[in-house]
């Protein structure tokens, strides 16, 4: 099944920001486009807005004047659903309300031809439930664009329980013909991106609720150590706290209140107070004119240790050994079968976070995971009230000697980056094992949909296939609520790897 022919008209119902964006994508690709909105004159206003955006594309050299004029000629507002009768594809982008969407598609089914493809851009509702109102749900599919649709490449092509393979394939190929990067997805709460991305927000909020670090510090660590484009607090302020919480709540409810998707009470209080982020001027941060942006916690300058003793290879942080030597600090290596650590001159230990806490051990400082320890500009350290001041000072000075800013946070298991990445990897394995999507499509979706520096399976391969399961096992022992219990899929993946390695 191939993409729709460019001569085939495409309709977009609902002319808000997303609807206009989808219409612009189809229009620039070369289709005749119909715009419909239930509110009188709104379709004409949307057509004018799209025309203005085409003008800006010409000004920026991204579209020729001739192509703009041709596109404008293909764009037509519709006053009645009956004017969509000749369309080969209708994409809905109306209110996120099941009854509203079902009523719309029942009406469309009375108008369009039997072979017209019907699609919803829903981000939070069940594609199966929406299509369940149709007499012929086999032609119904989810086409989830990301905002702004003309700029972001990802489209989740979602097959409902009754969606025909031919319909899903045609939608997939059409999205690709429009210059998008489609990924195929089964109808599951949150689809790929909104399902697997929940820990990025949830773990940052959990660290904050534990009073281990403030939003500015957590965001800085996620960006400067984890390699994420934005931190969880600044990103939710951009998205809108109400919007982000609504998606989290929808996924949680759709999974029958699975503890892995539990919403944040701190975010709930923020929404209740009306601090929704940039659009209201205040959220986690103060966005009002003249407001100062809070700085992340950054430790004062400390003297580096003269040497460290390396016991083991530090696993995912092994690059640090070469960096320490390059900084002029002596590394004395000792074979050690019981874990990996750096022993500091004062006798304290510096250990890559593993899901345990500093208070459980004598004089231990944990350091957080980094996407790339050479490129990272900030490293988080955690210690308990019992950790020696000299150990904290030596650990701080060591990372500062490597050119890193150091943020000291509270003694939380898994710290910030590690617990976040471990949970993302786990949800990804769980989704693939349940047939939601392929590993390749999951990685593509997370990189393109939310700008993650690596896809979950890319992270897993880099860190070692048993790393996430080990971290989550330790976290689960300290929080047995089930939130951190590794999925059966991750257990199987980790155990099979260990068994093969043990037999070799």
């Amino acid at each position: 099944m191939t993409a729709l022919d460019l001569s085939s008209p495409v309709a977009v119902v609902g002319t808000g920001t997303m609807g206009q964006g989808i219409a612009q994508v189809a229009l620039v690709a070369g289709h005749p486009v119909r715009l419909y909105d239930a509110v009188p004159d709104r379709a004409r206003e949307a057509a004018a807005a799209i025309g203005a955006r085409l003008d800006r594309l010409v000004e920026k050299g991204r579209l020729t004047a001739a192509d703009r004029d041709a596109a404008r000629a293909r764009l037509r507002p519709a006053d009645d659903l009956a004017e969509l009768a000749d369309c080969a594809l209708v994409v809905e982008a109306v209110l996120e309300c099941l009854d509203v969407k079902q009523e719309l598609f029942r009406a469309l089914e009375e108008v369009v031809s039997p072979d017209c493809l019907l699609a919803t851009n829903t981000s939070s509702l069940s594609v199966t439930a929406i299509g369940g109102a149709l007499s012929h749900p086999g032609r119904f599919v989810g086409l989830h664009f990301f905002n702004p649709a003309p700029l972001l490449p990802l489209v989740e092509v979602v097959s409902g329980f009754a969606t025909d393979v031919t319909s899903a394939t045609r939608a997939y190929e059409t999205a690709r013909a429009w210059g998008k990067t489609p990924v195929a997805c089964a109808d599951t709460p949150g689809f790929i991106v909104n399902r697997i991305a929940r820990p990025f927000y949830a773990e940052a909020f959990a660290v904050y609720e534990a009073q281990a670090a403030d939003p500015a510090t957590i965001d800085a660590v996620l960006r400067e150590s984890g390699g994420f484009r934005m931190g969880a607090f600044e990103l939710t302020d951009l998205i809108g706290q109400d919007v982000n919480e609504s998606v989290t709540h929808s996924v949680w409810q759709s999974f029958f209140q699975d503890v892995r998707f539990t919403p944040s009470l701190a975010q709930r209080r923020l929404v209740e107070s009306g601090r929704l982020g940039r659009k209201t001027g205040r959220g986690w941060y103060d966005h009002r004119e003249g407001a100062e942006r809070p700085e992340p916690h950054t430790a004062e300058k400390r003297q580096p240790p003269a040497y460290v003793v390396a016991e083991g290879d530090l696993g995912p942080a092994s690059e640090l050994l070469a960096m320490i030597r390059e900084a002029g600090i002596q590394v004395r290596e000792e074979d050690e079968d019981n874990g990996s650590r750096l022993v500091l001159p004062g006798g304290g230990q510096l250990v890559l976070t593993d899901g345990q806490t500093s208070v459980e051990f004598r004089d231990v400082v944990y350091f957080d995971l980094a996407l790339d320890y050479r490129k990272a500009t900030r490293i988080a350290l955690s210690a308990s009230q019992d950790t020696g001041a000299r150990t904290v000072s030596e650990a701080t000075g060591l990372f500062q000697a490597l050119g890193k800013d150091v943020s000291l946070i509270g003694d939380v298991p898994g710290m910030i980056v590690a617990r976040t990445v471990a949970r993302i990897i786990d949800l990804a394995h769980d989704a693939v094992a349940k047939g939601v999507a392929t590993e390749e499509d999951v990685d593509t979706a997370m990189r393109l949909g939310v700008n993650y520096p690596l896809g979950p399976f890319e992270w897993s391969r880099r860190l070692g296939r048993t790393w996430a399961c080990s971290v989550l096992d330790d976290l689960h022992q300290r929080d047995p609520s089930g939130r951190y219990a590794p999925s059966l899929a991750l257990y199987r993946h980790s155990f099979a790897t260990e068994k093969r390695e043990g037999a070799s």
Side-chain angles (χ1 to χ4, degrees), residues 121-158:
N121 183 59
T122 185
S123 61
S124 61
L125 298 176
S126 164
V127 171
T128 300
I130 300 171
L134 299 177
S135 299
H136 303 286
R139 59 166 161 176
F140 187 72
V141 67
L143 275 178
H144 182 216
F145 289 77
F146 287 74
N147 195 28
L151 297 180
L152 295 185
L154 185 69
V155 177
E156 292 177 318
V157 182
V158 186

Side-chain angles (χ1 to χ4, degrees), residues 348-366:
Q349 299 177 39
L350 185 58
V351 182
L352 175 62
T353 186
D354 55 7
Q356 301 183 81
T357 55
S358 179
V359 75
E360 300 170 53
F361 305 97
R362 187 187 67 81
D363 216 13
V364 166
V365 170
Y366 278 108

